[in-house]
Amino acid sequence: NAEYMGATLKSRDRTMSVLFVFCAFAIQNSQQVDSEDPILSAAEFWKLPQHQQRLITSLFFTNKWKHQHEENENDNEQETRNQCILEECEAGDEESQKYIVYQPQFGQNNQLIALCLAMQWGFALNRTVVIPHMFWPSASVELPPKHEWISYSTIFSKSQLEKLNPEVTFLEMDEFLKLNIRPSVVWNVNFQVTSVVEYSDHYFQALEFPPTEQTLLPDFIEKASSTEITESFGTCSCPVIALSTAFKAISHNIVNGLLPTVSQPSSRAIDLVDSLLKEFDVAGKPTACVHIRRGDFVDYCKEVVKQCQLWVATALGAGCACYPPKHVIARHIAVLRSQVV
């Protein structure tokens, strides 16, 4: 399996590589697979239709979450939910629906990662996850007027998101606001950000939520498991737990396996693309969409290259660059076009 992981990343496109890596991880680490169970080889896996490949990956994460949660409860059900470290979390009705809300931060991909992590909080605490709006190019800069805010389901498929784990419920922020429920406290998630990435409270300020508490959640949060989240927040009875950010609010271990599903386009987005293809008279022909973004990355790229961040080193090793010159972009597009045609 380890050999498959390394080889596959170089031999397949990025999305499918991530899917297979996590399938390999599932086979290697699942405690529910016995020796007589059939195990797909790399070749067999790639022959499956893409929707079956996604299903295998999604089922693994759903089962793994359930397995970890049920195993913990069976060991000592009373001790897993015996405390609430949020001392100022005002008590609410024990029987009422409870929510987890968070601020979007940074760029689009970071916002999707945060949604994956918030999903783990929702599952661990049996709380509905409130999905914030999506912002481009960043949620950490001055936000546009509210009437221009874009909901997650406008761009991405909420129905596909809900299939990842049927035990987690989701509510978009616009729907949540109609309930007239507000958090009493916004808790500050402690994590280090580089000097070139800005963090802000613009979103909650615009929603007139309370200011973020200066008190930081414990440092263990960034690497916590779902079990540890349950142990630390399981008895918090306040209607809403609000976090300054969900980015790095729990371990990132399974994020990559979820991103292909979390970023599935909505039917509205697909219809828009179809209309554009017809407008350019390329409907039904092999087509690739290229997103070229450089203008707001000039200073950022200079800094991250100096800092030798891991993702930059990985990109350079794959022949990419944070801020490539125009002739390099042209060459990459030419290669992509030759593959599509």
Side-chain angles (χ1 to χ4, degrees), residues 100-112:
I100 180 87
V101 303
Y102 65 95
Q103 288 190 111
Q105 298 287 351
F106 319 126
Q108 176 192 328
N109 201 50
N110 300 114
Q111 293 171 55
L112 293 175

Side-chain angles (χ1 to χ4, degrees), residues 148-192:
E148 295 181 10
W149 290 9
I150 302 173
S151 64
Y152 171 85
S153 61
T154 299
I155 307 298
F156 302 107
S157 173
K158 186 182 176 186
S159 62
Q160 291 298 316
L161 172 67
E162 292 168 336
K163 290 178 182 178
L164 274 175
N165 190 336
E167 295 189 24
V168 179
T169 55
F170 298 91
L171 194 66
E172 297 203 71
M173 182 59 76
D174 288 333
E175 299 170 317
F176 173 76
L177 295 174
K178 294 176 182 178
L179 301 176
N180 292 319
I181 303 173
R182 298 294 184 272
S184 57
V185 177
V186 175
W187 292 93
N188 194 1
V189 176
N190 181 26
F191 69 95
Q192 294 182 344

Side-chain angles (χ1 to χ4, degrees), residues 64-198:
K64 189 168 182 63
W65 275 339
K66 290 180 180 177
H67 178 68
Q68 290 177 341
H69 194 65
E70 291 170 357
E71 183 182 61
N72 185 64
E73 287 187 341
N74 291 336
D75 287 343
N76 198 330
E77 183 174 355
Q78 296 302 318
E79 292 186 4
T80 57
R81 294 178 176 266
N82 65 354
Q83 60 177 316
C84 175
I85 66 173
L86 304 180
E87 296 179 358
E88 299 177 35
C89 189
E90 296 179 2
D93 184 356
E94 290 291 338
E95 301 300 321
S96 64
Q97 181 65 53
K98 294 178 173 54
Y99 304 88
I100 180 87
V101 303
Y102 65 95
Q103 288 190 111
Q105 298 287 351
F106 319 126
Q108 176 192 328
N109 201 50
N110 300 114
Q111 293 171 55
L112 293 175
I113 289 174
L115 175 56
C116 294
L117 302 181
M119 192 188 313
Q120 295 183 66
W121 275 73
F123 178 78
L125 302 180
N126 192 27
R127 286 177 174 265
T128 294
V129 177
V130 179
I131 309 174
H133 296 84
M134 300 293 298
F135 296 96
W136 287 269
S138 173
S140 300
V141 297
E142 185 175 350
L143 302 181
K146 284 185 182 179
H147 69 273
E148 295 181 10
W149 290 9
I150 302 173
S151 64
Y152 171 85
S153 61
T154 299
I155 307 298
F156 302 107
S157 173
K158 186 182 176 186
S159 62
Q160 291 298 316
L161 172 67
E162 292 168 336
K163 290 178 182 178
L164 274 175
N165 190 336
E167 295 189 24
V168 179
T169 55
F170 298 91
L171 194 66
E172 297 203 71
M173 182 59 76
D174 288 333
E175 299 170 317
F176 173 76
L177 295 174
K178 294 176 182 178
L179 301 176
N180 292 319
I181 303 173
R182 298 294 184 272
S184 57
V185 177
V186 175
W187 292 93
N188 194 1
V189 176
N190 181 26
F191 69 95
Q192 294 182 344
V193 293
T194 65
S195 59
V196 294
V197 177
E198 294 185 1

Side-chain angles (χ1 to χ4, degrees), residues 200-212:
S200 79
D201 288 323
H202 295 322
Y203 187 67
F204 278 175
Q205 288 174 358
L207 295 177
E208 299 182 352
F209 282 12
T212 300

Side-chain angles (χ1 to χ4, degrees), residues 180-337:
N180 292 319
I181 303 173
R182 298 294 184 272
S184 57
V185 177
V186 175
W187 292 93
N188 194 1
V189 176
N190 181 26
F191 69 95
Q192 294 182 344
V193 293
T194 65
S195 59
V196 294
V197 177
E198 294 185 1
Y199 169 93
S200 79
D201 288 323
H202 295 322
Y203 187 67
F204 278 175
Q205 288 174 358
L207 295 177
E208 299 182 352
F209 282 12
T212 300
E213 283 288 309
Q214 294 302 311
T215 306
L216 300 174
L217 292 184
D219 289 340
F220 83 86
I221 292 296
E222 182 177 340
K223 298 182 180 179
S225 64
S226 294
T227 299
E228 290 170 315
I229 295 298
T230 304
E231 292 173 349
S232 301
F233 305 91
T235 59
C236 296
S237 59
C238 49
V240 183
I241 292 179
L243 304 177
S244 59
T245 176
F247 190 72
K248 293 199 173 183
I250 194 171
S251 172
H252 276 221
N253 285 345
I254 69 169
V255 166
N256 285 343
L258 303 177
L259 281 175
T261 300
V262 172
S263 58
Q264 286 291 307
S266 66
S267 57
R268 180 176 176 180
I270 292 174
D271 290 342
L272 176 60
V273 172
D274 287 342
S275 65
L276 289 173
L277 293 178
K278 291 178 181 178
E279 181 178 340
F280 289 105
D281 194 28
V282 292
K285 301 176 183 178
T287 308
C289 178
V290 181
H291 177 195
I292 302 175
R293 173 181 170 184
R294 297 202 311 166
D296 57 334
F297 265 61
V298 180
D299 295 333
Y300 176 84
C301 288
K302 291 178 182 177
E303 291 297 325
V304 295
V305 170
K306 289 179 183 178
Q307 296 171 13
C308 295
Q309 293 186 21
L310 179 59
W311 74 266
V312 176
T314 303
L316 292 173
C320 301
C322 184
Y323 192 79
K326 293 180 180 179
H327 72 273
V328 173
I329 294 177
R331 185 172 69 243
H332 282 302
I333 293 176
V335 171
L336 176 62
R337 186 174 186 278

Side-chain angles (χ1 to χ4, degrees), residues 4-23:
Y4 287 151
M5 290 185 199
T8 306
L9 280 174
K10 295 181 180 179
S11 63
R12 290 283 175 175
D13 69 86
R14 185 170 300 177
T15 300
M16 300 311 297
S17 299
V18 169
L19 284 171
F20 182 70
V21 166
F22 277 84
C23 284

